[in-house]
């Protein structure tokens, strides 16, 4: 963990502004902002260093949340920031590039490729030969360590940005950890909705669409995301969001009866009241510091009078541990909050975790009333969803995102 006590954001910001000024000189530079704390802090810092020689864009890549590009633009354009900013609509280009891909790493690599091609073209149009980006220390450590491909790590992965995309890269925050970036953001006067914002991955909602990305699936995820964020915010979890999965079962699932019996024993209900599903698409987990793919198991338990058995979250986490210990090919256990008992195209997972360092995370003990309300609202807004699940898997063995 970083030494926060000795880190002074004021000294860092002043020194870095000076460094950026020297490094960029009178050149024009481009920065892409997503609204996340890293890229926003990076943009404001660079703007203070080089003023209107900074061209700031939001690449609207189709994977930002509902209304997000417009909202971020509105804040940065206004005083005290006055950062000149344009929204560049590249939605179709990204959707086209990601079409047909379902493997998480393939999606990440395609995202990176499309992102930099679009940025390279924007840089050329704007006459910028320098790209400023908010890469932080963890991005590099994770990508080089093979944990996951962060979209903004190029040189360390042997990609020469000048040769490949036509620009030189400047990374003012590369020595910092997330908490230090938040300290710099506060020092620069960024509103709390930026400085304290829960992490949102660079590839955005593309890593929350499990399996293939299709426009209708993405639209449903956006609606579910708005509902989950709105309803869970007051509980202040470490990180919370929605995930979408195709409602397709694995072709040759194994061990279903065993899972059914385990759940029946734990909750003291007849086995016929336990319904188990193994999905066709897989999700990510971690093992010995590396990513792995594993099955997603959906468990639904009914009480004798036909209602969902609203077990204590801790008991659901215990169920998850039993299932994964007995069947280590499983990466996630989902527990049904509400189910329409009719097959529709998608199911939605609600993920909410408590974490300090994002390396280890506990499942939030969310009240059932909140989970049920979320489920009702998602059903109302999303007619193509048949089940709402709560993800009861900690990290490890799961990751925080699903991919
Ligand atoms: P995982 O899924 O690896 O996530 O347990 C740990 C933390 O990292 C965030 N995350 C990302 N952040 N670009 C980012 O800037 C990414 O590609 C990315 N992938 C995951 C995730 O939201 C969690 O906070």
């Amino acid at each position: 963990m970083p030494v926060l006590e000795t880190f002074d954001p004021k000294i860092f910001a002043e020194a870095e502004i000076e460094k950026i000024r020297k490094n960029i000189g009178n050149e024009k530079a481009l920065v892409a902002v997503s609204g996340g704390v890293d890229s926003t802090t990076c943009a404001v810092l660079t703007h203070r260093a080089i003023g209107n020689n900074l061209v700031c864009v939001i690449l609207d890549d189709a994977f930002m949340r509902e209304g997000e590009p417009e909202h971020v633009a509105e804040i940065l354009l206004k005083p005290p920031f006055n950062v000149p900013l344009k929204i560049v609509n590249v939605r179709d280009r990204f959707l086209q590039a990601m079409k047909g891909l379902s493997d998480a790493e393939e999606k990440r690599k395609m995202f990176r490729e499309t992102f930099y091609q679009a940025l390279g073209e924007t840089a050329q149009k704007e006459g910028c030969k320098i790209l400023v980006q908010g890469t932080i220390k963890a991005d590099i450590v994770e990508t080089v360590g093979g944990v996951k491909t962060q979209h903004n790590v190029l040189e360390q992965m042997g990609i020469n940005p000048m040769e490949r995309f036509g620009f030189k890269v400047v990374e003012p925050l590369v020595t910092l950890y997330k908490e230090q970036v938040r300290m710099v953001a506060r020092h620069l006067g960024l509103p709390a909705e930026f400085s304290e914002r829960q992490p949102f991955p660079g590839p955005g909602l593309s890593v929350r669409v499990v399996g293939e990305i299709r426009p209708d699936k993405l639209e449903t995820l956006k609606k579910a995301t708005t509902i989950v964020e709105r309803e869970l915010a007051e509980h202040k979890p470490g990180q919370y969001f929605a995930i979408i999965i195709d409602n397709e079962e694995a072709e040759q699932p194994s061990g279903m009866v065993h899972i059914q019996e385990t759940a029946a024993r734990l909750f003291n209900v007849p086995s016929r009241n336990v319904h188990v599903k193994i999905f066709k698409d897989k999700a990510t987990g971690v093992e010995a510091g590396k990513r792995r793919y594993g099955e997603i198991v959906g468990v639904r338990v009914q009480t004798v009078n036909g209602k969902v058995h609203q077990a204590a979250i801790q008991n659901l986490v215990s169920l998850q541990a039993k299932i994964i210990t007995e069947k280590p090919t499983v990466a996630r256990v989902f527990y049904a909050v509400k189910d329409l008992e009719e097959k529709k195209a998608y199911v939605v997972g609600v993920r909410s975790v408590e974490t300090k360092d994002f390396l280890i995370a506990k499942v939030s003990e969310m009240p059932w009333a909140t989970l049920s309300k979320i489920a009702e609202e998602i059903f109302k807004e999303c007619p193509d969803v048949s089940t709402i699940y709560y993800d009861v898997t900690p990290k490890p063995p799961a990751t925080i995102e699903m991919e």
Side-chain angles (χ1 to χ4, degrees), residues 148-304:
K148 64 186 167 236
T149 302
Q150 297 279 356
H151 80 285
N152 53 2
V153 178
L154 299 173
E155 274 157 306
Q156 294 81 355
M157 295 309 283
I159 299 171
N160 181 330
M162 185 52 98
E163 264 173 27
R164 188 81 171 270
F165 306 108
F167 47 67
K168 172 183 149 191
V169 171
V170 171
E171 295 172 321
L173 309 180
V174 79
T175 56
L176 303 190
Y177 287 95
K178 189 67 125 200
E179 214 24 63
Q180 294 169 317
V181 181
R182 291 195 198 281
M183 290 164 82
V184 176
R186 287 176 211 130
H187 166 73
L188 294 174
L190 279 162
E193 67 169 295
F194 288 105
S195 63
E196 312 313 312
R197 192 154 122 135
Q198 59 161 331
F200 186 62
L205 297 178
S206 76
V207 298
R208 294 177 183 169
V209 176
V210 177
E212 206 183 315
I213 298 171
R214 293 181 294 275
D216 69 306
K217 191 174 171 187
L218 186 59
E219 276 319 299
T220 297
L221 175 65
K222 286 188 184 177
K223 287 185 198 152
T225 299
T226 304
I227 295 167
V228 169
E229 289 194 348
R230 186 180 63 221
E231 297 302 325
L232 291 190
E234 66 174 286
H235 297 276
K236 299 192 170 49
Q239 196 170 359
Y240 51 104
F241 51 88
I243 305 132
I244 193 160
I245 310 176
D246 288 347
N247 193 8
E248 297 295 334
E249 293 187 50
E251 272 168 21
Q252 289 178 322
S254 68
M256 313 259 283
V257 175
H258 195 70
I259 296 174
Q260 196 182 22
E261 285 166 357
T262 304
R265 244 191 333 267
L266 192 71
F267 298 126
N268 204 16
V269 295
S271 287
R272 64 174 181 282
N273 287 24
V274 180
H275 307 269
V276 178
K277 206 171 187 172
I278 297 184
F279 289 91
K280 183 168 122 283
D281 284 322
K282 294 202 156 91
T284 45
V286 272
E287 201 169 70
K290 294 268 187 250
R291 298 222 130 185
R292 70 177 185 104
Y293 286 92
E295 289 155 322
I296 308 166
V297 173
V299 179
R300 182 161 63 87
V301 180
Q302 284 177 316
T303 58
V304 269

Side-chain angles (χ1 to χ4, degrees), residues 108 148 150 199-203 239 291 358 395 399-401:
R108 279 184 175 275
K148 64 186 167 236
Q150 297 279 356
F200 186 62
Q239 196 170 359
R291 298 222 130 185
F358 298 91
K395 174 180 180 175
T399 47
I400 293 178
E401 301 288 347

